Structures are given as structure tokens and as C-alpha cells.
Amino acid sequence: MVFTFLYHQWKEFWRSRNKGGSIAAQLILGLFMLYLLLIAVVAGFSMAPLIHKLFPGKDQVVIFNGFILYYFLVDLAVRIQMQELPTLSIVPYLHLRIRKSQLVSFLNMKSLFSFYNCLPLFIFLPFSISHIWTTSGGIVSGAYVVSILSLVLFNNFLILYVKRRAINNIFYFVTILISVMALAALDYFKLISISAFSHQVFQLITQLPLLSIVFVLFALLIFVVNSLYLQRNLYTEELSSRSESKVSTDYAFLNRFGKVGELAALELKLILRHKRSRTTLIMSLLLLAYGFIFYRGPLVANNEFGKLMFAAVFMTGIGIINYGQFMFAWQSAHFDGILANKIDFTQFIKAKFLLFTIGSTILTILSSFYVVISYKLLLLHFVAYLYNIGIASVITLYFANFNYKRLDITKSASFNWQGVGATQWILGLPFLLTPLLLYAPFGISNQPYLGLAVVGGLGAISLLMRNFWIGLLVKKFEKQRYQIAEGFRE
């Protein structure tokens, strides 16, 4: 039966209208994955000399042990954004005598052939088989292999389960996301040490190899939980019946904005109910950790805000650029209906501004935890916030008038280049470079706080001029709307 499903999917792919674009995208993606696999192979077979070079004088097994759970925590964070759900068009099989268990088994088996499952095998197994065998014996080496394979399967089925549950309840997605970010933050501030814990775990396995069965049990448990949930919610009518209860959901806090709030609420529902827009939202939350890369003590202490400005604007405005770069294309499936209905375009543009402001406000509040590094970062983030809602949002909506590429919002955003064109690349330049250029003269003349005042002040002035900008954007939209609609029909 498995081969029958594979054959049907193969025929479905070659008969699809967009197979040309799919083949090109898969070739590019395949080359990128092959490159990463080659790096993993080299790293795996060169693990011992790499550890010796990077950590001279330290026990190689201790460093290796400390790296294992750390890797799988990062792997979890990557998978939650990038890993695709294995799919199968179920409707054609509903009238046939095919058991649910066969469909579930195919989906589970299909998920195993994932790039993310192969990568850790090439990284960890060569060292586990060669070096651990030499130092601790074959039984311990086998226990390492079993543990690593179990961790791979655990991450694979945990993410599949979470993503499936998140279709009807985003709470599961947010829970695991916050958990991973919290562990990363605790490790960053040295309140806990994931590496030390990982070493302790695998040191115990070295002493008692049978403890590796614990990883196996965890992997089996999440496999069973995932399979049972999938089997209970396999058919399309079972999933849709639950989602229908959310159709009438209202966002009361938007009611005060009248018709603008109503339009914003409709778009917010669109964001939360479709895969690509929801993935964009999750990605914006994940990138709040971006500051850990840029916010270094000496830079903050010396008031070198020019080197920190990019990260601040990026984190507080990532929702604007992530979602705004495809503005109007999110509604490409019903854009003709928008033009045909009696929708005031001024209110339509105001609703976009309202969503940008809400999104940037939430991200700015969430990013306030960087105050633990320095109170100066709160000031920097506030300046970046004023720039984003005052200037960056205007830039984004202006470039949206030149976006003519249709977008399928039911597909994942991971490695998906549909809708991406020159507009998206050009938008990033003024969006991110403008605050740096405004601040640069004051940074060079050693007037950092005056530079922040200028950037924030211009953002506030532009915010006060929002009605003026809306008038210009509405005129531009009215001029471009039919060209946009024509592009969305292709």
C-alpha cells in the first residue's frame, strides 16, 4: 500500500500546473541541503581533530557529550519553523476500503525521510562509533547510537504533533516556542548549563548503557501520541468541524476602531488561520532572540548605538517587514472581491497601519527583557519602535503597490519562494538602512544620545503625519490597483 501511495503522489506532482516552478525550487533546495550534508559529513568524520583544535587540552568525550543535547535543543527550534508536515490527499481514498492505520503509517514513514533527521546522524554517529568504541567499548558505543537515534525520532514526532495540534490551537506552538527560548535565555545568562547537563546524562549512559532505553521510551511515547492524534483527526471533516467554531471569533479590542478595526480583525483572522502567514508570525517571535548575537557588553557600555541599531529595528519591526513585504498579496485570492466591494480604500490602508502598530507594539514589549543586559537597550528599542511605526510602515506600504505576485497562503513559508520578487529585496534597503544613515553623523561626532533623539523624533513626526501619508498611499493604490489585480490573477 505504501508504494501505491508513493506512486499516486508521484503522478499528482507531474500532473500539477506548477510542476516547473516546483522542480526548480526543489533543485535549488536540494543543492543547499547537499551542501549542508557535506559539511555535516566532514564535521562528523573530523570531530576528534575539530574538538582538539577548538578546545585544546580538554577531554574530547566531555566536549562531545556536552554538545549532544545542546544540538537537539537547537534542532527543535529550527524544526518548529522549518520542518514540513508530511501530507497526503485523503479525500480520494475516503470511499475505498483503506484502513486509517495504513494512511497514518504512510504519513509517519514519509516524515522519517527528512533532511533534519539525516543531519545529526552524519554529525554524531561517526564519533560515537569510532572514538567512543575505542575509549569505552562497543556496548557504550551502541548505547550512544541508540540514544542519538531516539533523540532524532523524538524531535521529529514531537514537532509533527505540535504542528498538528497548532492547526486548531496555537497554544501548543507557543508553549514549545517559549520553552525553547526560555532554556536558551537561561543558558545564555549562565543560570543553567545545557552543556553540563548533557555531559552528565551521557556520562551516566557511559557508566550504565542500559539507561539509553529511557530515550527510546520517550521516542516511542511521542510516536504513539502523534499516531493516535493523527488517526483520530485524519479526515478533513473532523478537522474542519473544529475550526468552524472559530469563524465567528471577534477581537473586541479592535471594535473601538470602527470599520478600520473590522477590516483589521478580518486580516488578523487570515493571519492566524493560514499556514504561511501563521509561520511568518511565529518566525517574528523566534527572531526576538536576535539580540543575543548583537548586544555585547562593550558596545552597550560605550554607547555604540550605531552597531546596535540594526538589531533593534529588526526585532521591533520584524513583523512589519516579514508580513508587509507581501502586503496585498496575502489577499491575492480575493483581491478582485476587495476591489468590487464598497470598501473605502482609506480605511483599507488605515487597517494595515493599525496591524503594523499592534504588531510592533507587542514585539517591543516582548523584547523589553533585554533590560537585564542594560537599561540603555530599552531606550534604543523605544527609538526603533517610533521609527518602525512612523517611517518603516510608510515605506513598506509604498512598496506594496509594486508587488504583483500571487501568494498561496495555505503553503508553508519554509523554503518557499512563491511571491518573492525584486520588490522584497529592494524593500529591505530603505527599511533597514534609513535609521543607520540618520544616526551615522551623530555617531561619528560622538553624540550617541542626540542621534537616538533624531531617529526617534523623526519617527514621531512621521507618526503625527500619518493621515498625510495615508492620503498619498491611497492615491498610489488607486492608480496601481488594477495592475496589482492583474498580477494576482496569473
Side-chain angles (χ1 to χ4, degrees):
M1 201 67 209
V2 169
F3 293 104
T4 302
F5 290 144
L6 289 173
Y7 177 65
H8 289 171
Q9 291 206 317
W10 176 261
K11 290 175 70 175
E12 181 182 10
F13 172 79
W14 284 105
R15 291 174 179 177
S16 64
R17 293 176 56 189
N18 60 340
K19 64 176 182 294
S22 299
I23 293 172
Q26 291 299 322
L27 284 174
I28 296 172
L29 180 58
L31 290 173
F32 176 70
M33 289 183 173
L34 181 61
Y35 172 72
L36 291 180
L37 282 176
L38 288 174
I39 293 176
V41 170
V42 172
F45 285 96
S46 307
M47 184 68 73
L50 278 173
I51 293 175
H52 178 72
K53 183 177 180 179
L54 296 173
F55 304 94
K58 293 192 176 181
D59 190 332
Q60 293 182 359
V61 175
V62 173
I63 300 299
F64 179 75
N65 285 347
F67 180 59
I68 296 174
L69 292 185
Y70 201 94
Y71 170 88
F72 281 103
L73 180 64
V74 175
D75 177 66
L76 204 61
V78 173
R79 284 175 184 262
I80 200 171
Q81 164 61 22
M82 308 294 283
Q83 184 172 344
E84 294 279 357
L85 283 172
T87 57
L88 177 68
S89 181
I90 296 171
V91 174
Y93 303 105
L94 294 181
H95 67 288
L96 301 176
R97 295 181 61 185
I98 297 175
R99 296 190 299 273
K100 283 187 177 182
S101 59
Q102 291 179 306
L103 297 171
V104 171
S105 297
F106 174 75
L107 291 173
N108 284 333
M109 187 196 71
K110 187 179 178 182
S111 73
L112 297 178
F113 295 93
S114 168
F115 167 76
Y116 305 101
N117 293 337
C118 297
L119 205 59
L121 304 184
F122 289 111
I123 294 174
F124 294 109
L125 293 192
F127 189 90
S128 300
I129 294 172
S130 60
H131 196 85
I132 301 297
W133 191 310
T134 304
T135 56
S136 303
I139 295 176
V140 174
S141 176
Y144 268 71
V145 172
V146 169
S147 300
I148 289 166
L149 289 174
S150 300
L151 284 168
V152 171
L153 295 175
F154 177 82
N155 276 14
N156 179 70
F157 289 111
L158 175 63
I159 291 302
L160 295 182
Y161 175 72
V162 168
K163 285 197 169 187
R164 285 180 176 128
R165 291 302 300 258
I167 293 173
N168 291 320
N169 190 345
I170 200 170
F171 170 77
Y172 293 91
F173 219 122
V174 173
T175 300
I176 193 169
L177 181 64
I178 292 175
S179 300
V180 171
M181 292 178 67
L183 286 172
L186 290 171
D187 184 73
Y188 178 83
F189 293 112
K190 302 188 185 314
L191 297 175
I192 64 171
S193 176
I194 296 171
S195 297
F197 176 72
S198 179
H199 169 62
Q200 291 172 2
V201 169
F202 283 90
Q203 186 66 26
L204 282 173
I205 289 177
T206 302
Q207 297 168 1
L208 297 170
L210 280 176
L211 286 177
S212 61
I213 198 70
V214 174
F215 289 108
V216 176
L217 292 176
F218 275 114
L220 285 174
L221 176 63
I222 195 63
F223 170 77
V224 171
V225 169
N226 177 71
S227 298
L228 290 175
Y229 179 78
L230 184 58
Q231 192 161 347
R232 288 195 301 267
N233 300 276
L234 188 61
Y235 294 149
T236 52
E237 65 269 17
E238 293 173 1
L239 287 174
S240 62
S241 63
R242 298 186 181 185
S243 61
E244 283 172 4
S245 62
K246 294 188 175 183
V247 171
S248 61
T249 299
D250 193 14
Y251 304 101
F253 69 97
L254 292 173
N255 290 342
R256 69 188 68 179
F257 299 102
K259 186 64 176 179
V260 173
E262 183 182 333
L263 292 172
L266 288 172
E267 191 156 356
L268 188 56
K269 291 177 184 179
L270 178 146
I271 293 170
L272 295 176
R273 292 177 181 176
H274 293 88
K275 185 182 293 185
R276 185 159 183 175
S277 52
R278 191 169 61 239
T279 305
T280 300
L281 176 64
I282 298 299
M283 189 65 180
S284 299
L285 296 174
L286 280 173
L287 290 174
L288 284 175
Y290 202 67
F292 291 123
I293 300 173
F294 283 86
Y295 292 162
R296 300 301 178 187
L299 295 178
V300 178
N302 296 329
N303 298 328
E304 297 183 46
F305 298 126
K307 297 177 181 178
L308 305 174
M309 183 70 72
F310 173 83
V313 171
F314 187 79
M315 286 188 294
T316 58
I318 188 60
I320 295 176
I321 194 169
N322 255 0
Y323 185 74
Q325 66 178 323
F326 299 114
M327 188 52 70
F328 305 146
W330 297 109
Q331 298 162 302
S332 56
H334 56 272
F335 190 77
D336 284 328
I338 291 174
L339 299 185
N341 281 310
K342 294 181 179 180
I343 294 177
D344 187 336
F345 294 142
T346 299
Q347 294 176 335
F348 182 67
I349 298 297
K350 281 184 176 180
K352 309 296 184 185
F353 272 115
L354 179 59
L355 281 177
F356 285 167
T357 303
I358 292 172
S360 188
T361 302
I362 292 172
L363 290 173
T364 303
I365 293 171
L366 291 176
S367 66
S368 62
F369 66 85
Y370 284 108
V371 72
V372 298
I373 298 178
S374 174
Y375 70 91
K376 297 176 184 178
L377 295 178
L378 281 182
L379 175 62
L380 179 63
H381 282 199
F382 181 68
V383 168
Y385 168 70
L386 289 176
Y387 165 78
N388 280 318
I389 63 173
I391 299 175
S393 55
V394 176
I395 294 173
T396 302
L397 284 173
Y398 177 78
F399 276 91
N401 289 293
F402 302 96
N403 182 22
Y404 311 133
K405 292 183 177 291
R406 185 182 179 88
L407 203 65
D408 185 354
I409 59 177
T410 63
K411 295 183 178 179
S412 173
S414 304
F415 297 109
N416 187 347
W417 288 280
Q418 187 200 28
V420 178
T423 304
Q424 283 71 35
W425 297 102
I426 296 172
L427 168 62
L429 295 176
F431 189 102
L432 297 171
L433 291 181
T434 300
L436 297 177
L437 294 174
L438 291 174
Y439 176 84
F442 303 95
I444 294 171
S445 59
N446 198 27
Q447 298 289 335
Y449 289 100
L450 181 57
L452 291 183
V454 169
V455 176
L458 290 175
I461 292 170
S462 182
L463 183 61
L464 294 173
M465 295 173 59
R466 176 166 285 185
N467 286 334
F468 171 76
W469 298 125
I470 288 173
L472 292 180
L473 289 170
V474 169
K475 289 179 181 177
K476 187 65 178 176
F477 177 73
E478 289 176 340
K479 182 179 178 181
Q480 299 286 125
R481 55 182 168 166
Y482 296 117
Q483 194 171 349
I484 296 172
E486 184 179 354
F488 290 165
R489 295 187 197 110
E490 294 180 1

